[in-house]
Every structure is written in C-alpha cells, then in structure tokens.
C-alpha cells in the first residue's frame, strides 16, 4: 500500500489520482435478441472525466446503469476501486453509496425539502448525526449555488436548480465516482449552463466522472476522453479535440454532422 493522506471531509480530490478506478472488462449484455452492450472494455482512472456520446439507443444509459448495478450484465466484469461488482447484499448497498448517480429527470424526493433531499442518505446510510449532515448539506448547496432554496420543496425550484440539488445530493455521500446520464437534456436552454458550470467545477476539483452528454462545450472543456458508442459498442475513444475535429469512423462522422 502506498501512503495516503486523508482527504479533508469536504473534498473528493483523490490523493491517488491516475490509478484505475473503474475497470470494464469484456462486458456483454443482451435484451432478448438485442446485443445492447457488445464487448465493452475501458478503464476510467481516478480524477478522470469521461464523456460518453452516441446516437439514441446505442447503449449509453444501459452502460451507466450496469456500472451502478441497476442492470445486470451477461458476461465480463466491472470493477470499482478494486472490487468486483457484487450481485446483491451489503456489498451492493455500499457500492451504490460510493457511486453517485445524476439522472436526466432530477429524481428528487418530491415530499422532502431541498435540505432533506441532501441529508437523507448521509443520515440513513452513513449514520451521520443530523446536525453534521445539515451543515455539510448547506455547504454543498452553497457550492452549487442554491443554499437560499434549502427550505423549499423541489417543485418550487426551476429545473436547473433542481438538477443542482441532485448534484449536491450525490456529493453528500462523498462518492468515489459520479455517473451522470444526460443531466442537462431535460432542462430549458437558459438553465443548461448553470448546471454545466457546476459540472465543470467538479471536474476541475478532481472528481471522477462518467457523463453521458451531447454538450460539446462541456466535453471540450472538461473531458479527458470521449467514448463514442454505436450499436452497443465503443466505436471510438479519443481526447475530445481529436474526436470532434478528426473523427475516424463513418459512424462518428455521421453522428457529429447531425449534432454540430
Ligand atoms: P441510449 O441511452 O444510448 O439511448 P439505452 O441504453 O437506453 O440507449 O438503450 C439501448 C437499447 O436497449 C435501446 O434499443 C433500448 O430500446 C433497449 N433497451 C433499454 N432498456 C431496455 C429494457 N429494459 N428492455 C428491453 N430493451 C431495452
Ligand atoms: Mg440514454
């Protein structure tokens, strides 16, 4: 074991940046006749930001869900921080606690206040004292710019504010990794940037992130790598500038010509 310095409680900056955190090895999955994940192989290192793009139906969401074990896989393996994903039980609960997930549709608890949305899991799962959980939640809400909304119910917030609360909620568990599946696609255009800015901030602070998004500005600014998926396969894997400026496959060229 290499020596490691304890990270401050409010920071997720890894002291072991660069080591493999997520190892996806020969992963296959079918839905009936559909080969939805076809021999997926990739490694995401600590502190790395990977953007996954590709046409609708190419398997991006399924891949995210498989990483978080919301979906089973047929064969291959997914390892997070050296631990192979468990099938069930306590190991699975721990895995879910360590992997933050932000969805397109916010998924806040409608009947809890903004503050309660952020403190719920730390209190229940991490057994944090309410006072500490509240303080930490306010700090995170501050960081995503919605601390003044803490006492409101989610429905009273704009979509952009709700999504920033969802990000704060995932950060409250001190995750090793955050998965985001099209976090800005349900937002009105004028709210997209406020969420992207928060995501760029996380990336700058060294959070390991896997982000499904078609926001090229974010990918160019924050991503270390782009994975282009089509028909259940990773067709291209490259640095953002290389991918966007010099796509190699016809699939990627065709896709980019439609979205750029
Ligand atoms: P993407 O996120 O890239 O749009 P998805 O991973 O959501 O793609 O879906 C990939 C393919 O798998 C699609 O053709 C979709 O219809 C299919 N699919 C997704 N979930 C299921 C399911 N639970 N049962 C059957 N087919 C599914
Ligand atoms: Mg999807």
């Amino acid at each position: 074991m290499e020596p490691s310095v304890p990270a401050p409680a409010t920071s997720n900056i890894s002291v072991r940046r660069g080591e493999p955190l997520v190892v996806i090895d020969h992963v296959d999955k079918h839905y009936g006749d559909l080969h939805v994940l076809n021999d997926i192989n990739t490694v995401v290192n600590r502190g790395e930001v990977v953007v996954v793009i590709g046409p609708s139906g190419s398997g991006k969401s399924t891949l995210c869900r498989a990483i978080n074990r919301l979906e089973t896989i047929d064969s291959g393996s997914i390892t997070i921080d050296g631990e192979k994903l468990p099938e069930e039980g306590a190991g699975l609960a721990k895995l879910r606690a360590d992997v933050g997930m932000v969805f397109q549709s916010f998924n806040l608890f409608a009947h809890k206040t903004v503050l309660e949305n952020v403190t719920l899991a730390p209190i229940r799962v991490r057994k944090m004292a309410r006072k500490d959980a509240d303080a930490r939640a306010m700090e995170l809400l501050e960081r995503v710019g919605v601390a003044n909304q803490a006492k409101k119910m989610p429905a009273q917030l704009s979509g952009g504010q709700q999504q920033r609360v969802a990000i704060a909620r995932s950060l409250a568990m001190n995750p090793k990794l955050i998965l985001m599946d099209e976090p800005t696609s349900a937002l009105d255009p004028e709210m997209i940037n406020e969420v992207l800015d928060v995501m760029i901030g996380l990336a700058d602070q060294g959070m390991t992130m896997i982000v499904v998004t078609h926001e090229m500005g974010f990918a160019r600014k924050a991503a270390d790598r782009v994975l282009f998926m089509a028909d259940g396969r990773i067709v291209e894997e490259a640095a953002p500038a290389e991918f966007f400026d010099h796509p190699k496959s016809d699939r990627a060229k065709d896709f980019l010509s439609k979205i750029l």
Side-chain angles (χ1 to χ4, degrees):
M1 284 284 283
E2 62 178 289
S4 66
V5 196
T10 54
S11 162
N12 283 295
I13 296 172
S14 174
V15 290
R16 293 182 288 164
R17 195 171 177 135
E19 275 182 15
L21 182 66
V22 184
V23 180
I24 302 177
D25 186 36
H26 293 297
V27 165
D28 276 282
K29 180 179 178 68
H30 295 78
Y31 285 125
D33 290 340
L34 177 69
H35 204 164
V36 63
L37 297 177
N38 189 341
D39 195 24
I40 300 290
N41 295 283
T42 196
V43 174
V44 179
N45 292 321
R46 276 174 209 282
E48 209 181 5
V49 177
V50 173
V51 161
V52 181
I53 76 169
S56 176
S58 55
K60 307 179 299 293
S61 294
T62 306
L63 180 62
C64 279
R65 294 168 59 83
I67 294 170
N68 206 9
R69 212 61 173 84
L70 294 167
E71 296 277 1
T72 56
I73 55 176
D74 299 342
S75 57
S77 68
I78 301 176
T79 309
I80 296 179
D81 206 9
E83 291 179 52
K84 205 169 157 189
L85 293 202
E87 293 288 326
E88 55 191 13
L92 188 53
K94 180 176 182 312
L95 164 89
R96 297 249 171 83
D98 282 343
V99 179
M101 181 101 197
V102 175
F103 301 90
Q104 182 173 332
S105 52
F106 327 141
N107 292 29
L108 296 176
F109 304 113
H111 304 291
K112 306 251 177 226
T113 65
V114 163
L115 182 69
E116 287 164 347
N117 263 275
V118 181
T119 58
L120 194 69
I123 290 171
R124 286 207 188 148
V125 181
R126 302 275 195 230
K127 311 295 177 204
M128 230 179 170
R130 175 171 302 275
K131 190 168 131 294
D132 298 337
D134 281 351
R136 166 91 172 122
M138 287 309 298
E139 204 178 285
L140 291 169
L141 290 171
E142 188 75 50
R143 183 160 152 197
V144 301
V146 288
N148 54 350
Q149 312 291 322
K151 296 214 166 68
K152 291 192 184 163
M153 303 306 280
Q156 295 174 277
L157 273 58
S158 72
Q161 289 172 325
Q162 289 187 53
Q163 195 59 308
R164 286 183 282 145
V165 174
I167 294 172
R169 182 176 63 176
S170 74
L171 291 172
M173 293 294 278
N174 280 323
K176 291 175 177 168
L177 162 75
I178 296 191
L179 295 168
M180 298 192 182
D181 191 359
E182 306 210 25
T184 60
S185 7
L187 297 175
D188 292 333
E190 73 272 20
M191 292 169 189
I192 291 176
N193 279 332
E194 65 192 45
V195 173
L196 291 177
D197 285 347
V198 168
M199 291 161 58
I200 290 167
L202 289 183
D204 287 346
Q205 286 154 17
M207 175 58 78
T208 311
M209 297 161 75
I210 300 176
V211 184
V212 179
T213 183
H214 295 161
E215 292 291 337
M216 302 304 143
F218 172 78
R220 280 187 186 267
K221 211 177 282 175
D224 295 293
R225 191 150 45 98
V226 172
L227 297 185
F228 173 71
M229 286 184 73
D231 300 329
R233 291 175 186 273
I234 296 176
V235 176
E236 289 194 37
E237 187 165 359
E242 188 187 332
F243 175 75
F244 294 121
D245 299 338
H246 307 287
K248 291 190 178 62
S249 62
D250 289 341
R251 287 305 298 267
K253 285 176 194 165
D254 179 57
F255 176 75
L256 289 172
S257 74
K258 285 176 183 145
I259 62 161
L260 291 181

